[in-house]
Amino acid sequence: MPDKKNAPLSVLDLAPIPQGASARDAFHTSRSLAQQSEKLGFHRYWVAEHHNMSGIASAATSVLIGYLAANTETLRLGSGGIMLPNHAPLVIAEQFGTLESLYPGRIDLGLGRAPGSDQRTMMALRRHMAGHVDNFPADVAELIRWFDHSGEEKPVVQPVPGTGLKIPVWLLGSSLYSAQLAAQMGLPFAFASHFAPDMLLQALHLYRENFKPSARLEKPYAMVCVNVVAADSERDARFLFTSMQQQFINLRRGKPAPLPAPVENMDNLWSPSEQYGVQQALSMSIVGDKEKVRQGLAALLRETQADEVMVNGQIFDRAARLNSFELAMQARNEL
């Protein structure tokens, strides 16, 4: 197998809103994290579309990308992802065409098929649109046709800006559907194992075995997203990780809330079945000191042969969150 030790490391940021903080605070922390990521050599920095979640501030994803791009110089920024069934493709092409025009060569468009919200919020988002999740392949193809358009004859309907800008398009997924579609369309693929690990290896195999080269990509390129919570000691990292565990309990109870403060003991906060479910969902998490993170990243690369690793870290304290990503990059550099 090829050596993947030099696989790039990237950041997924959900712009978490800790208890007692505001969305504005979350955006300022994201700005600091993006600036630090640029200095440390992270390859790309993505933010994700979620709605009706009081602990996540990245709902207006393209707006946040613009804010982060304006406060960095070289870092690649993008969506991880835009939930395309929520939007008219033309609007997304215009938004990302605008971002690419303002920050050329720095913008990625990662696309997901899930709503990124609950059923009622999904209906509120789509309102009178005729769009449906089954239109996803056609909507992706339409975006690519606009971005890859060349020649003098313009489409009857075109994104301005956006037409001909060659914006990189990724497909994101947590099941086999997007892996198969990415392979069919010859697009890079990112798997969301940070919250849905079960089909990771099967999806990667399906993607690689069925990949068809395209004008955009000659060979398969797979990115794997995992949670990383790093601290100076394993005990401190386990303590910080309880914020994410509590957040998942709240989501599973249908009560999304701001990111909770960490606790010393989770035993009184979850039932046995909730504990099992949360631990299963977060099983692709590397939690510990720098050496533990180094070992975890090495094992992940051996097992998945990922071309790139993206790390997510929902950490309550701002300084601890910045430190965690710094330790993650140090661990990667010591592979």
Side-chain angles (χ1 to χ4, degrees):
M1 290 184 178
D3 187 356
K4 294 289 187 178
K5 288 184 178 180
N6 293 324
L9 197 64
S10 295
V11 173
L12 176 65
D13 180 12
L14 304 186
I17 306 174
Q19 285 178 342
S22 66
R24 181 181 176 87
D25 297 326
F27 296 146
H28 288 173
T29 298
S30 292
R31 178 185 62 193
S32 296
L33 181 57
Q35 291 170 336
Q36 173 182 274
S37 298
E38 183 171 74
K39 292 176 183 176
L40 293 175
F42 281 91
H43 186 52
R44 67 183 90 239
Y45 189 109
W46 283 1
V47 294
E49 177 186 349
H50 292 81
H51 299 281
N52 196 29
M53 294 187 182
S54 56
I56 297 176
S58 53
T61 313
S62 58
V63 178
L64 182 54
I65 291 170
Y67 171 68
L68 299 176
N71 284 280
T72 52
E73 295 180 1
T74 60
L75 185 66
R76 288 201 68 87
L77 291 140
S79 57
I82 289 291
M83 301 297 109
L84 191 55
N86 293 341
H87 309 280
L90 178 63
V91 172
I92 297 304
E94 291 168 341
Q95 290 177 0
F96 279 76
T98 299
L99 288 167
E100 174 65 22
S101 298
L102 289 169
Y103 310 104
R106 296 178 57 199
I107 302 300
D108 297 324
L109 175 55
L111 298 170
R113 181 170 168 263
S117 60
D118 58 84
Q119 195 76 17
R120 289 182 178 179
T121 307
M122 180 181 71
M123 296 304 297
L125 281 165
R126 297 178 188 180
R127 294 186 177 272
H128 304 296
M129 288 173 56
H132 189 274
V133 69
D134 291 339
N135 295 336
F136 184 72
D139 288 347
V140 174
E142 186 172 32
L143 282 168
I144 291 173
R145 283 194 298 272
W146 279 325
F147 293 151
D148 289 355
H149 180 81
S150 59
E152 295 183 3
E153 186 175 347
K154 298 294 183 182
V156 176
V157 176
Q158 60 176 315
V160 181
T163 305
L165 291 186
K166 309 289 185 184
I167 298 168
V169 172
W170 290 67
L171 293 191
L172 283 54
S174 58
S175 66
L176 304 183
Y177 178 91
S178 290
Q180 189 166 354
L181 184 61
Q184 178 184 330
M185 301 185 76
L187 296 173
F189 174 61
F191 193 86
S193 45
H194 61 297
F195 71 86
D198 292 349
M199 295 185 181
L200 169 61
L201 296 179
Q202 190 178 353
L204 292 177
H205 177 77
L206 182 67
Y207 171 63
R208 289 165 176 154
E209 288 297 309
N210 294 280
F211 183 84
K212 297 179 180 179
S214 69
R216 284 181 156 249
L217 193 64
E218 292 182 0
K219 59 182 181 179
Y221 190 95
M223 179 161 62
V224 173
C225 186
V226 297
N227 302 302
V228 172
V229 177
D232 295 332
S233 71
E234 177 137 2
R235 183 185 182 282
D236 288 347
R238 290 287 168 190
F239 174 68
L240 296 173
F241 187 51
T242 63
S243 291
M244 195 182 305
Q245 292 173 319
Q246 292 176 79
Q247 186 178 53
F248 264 72
I249 294 173
N250 291 334
L251 287 173
R252 286 168 178 261
R253 291 173 178 172
K255 299 177 180 179
L259 184 67
V263 295
E264 291 289 347
N265 194 320
M266 289 288 297
D267 291 345
N268 295 326
L269 298 178
W270 53 17
S271 68
S273 61
E274 287 175 331
Q275 179 180 2
Y276 175 82
V278 170
Q279 290 177 341
Q280 176 65 21
L282 299 180
S283 61
M284 293 296 288
S285 300
I286 305 171
V287 182
D289 59 13
K290 184 175 68 173
E291 176 58 21
K292 179 74 174 289
V293 173
R294 187 194 67 79
Q295 294 173 3
L297 290 174
L300 177 72
L301 289 168
R302 283 195 305 270
E303 186 175 16
T304 66
Q305 292 294 295
D307 298 289
E308 188 170 338
V309 175
M310 180 164 275
V311 296
N312 171 58
Q314 302 287 87
I315 297 173
F316 181 82
D317 181 76
R318 179 180 181 276
R321 188 163 186 249
L322 294 173
N323 184 55
S324 177
F325 280 94
E326 183 171 2
L327 290 173
M329 180 53 81
Q330 290 176 7
R332 181 264 177 201
N333 290 337
E334 293 176 8
L335 291 176

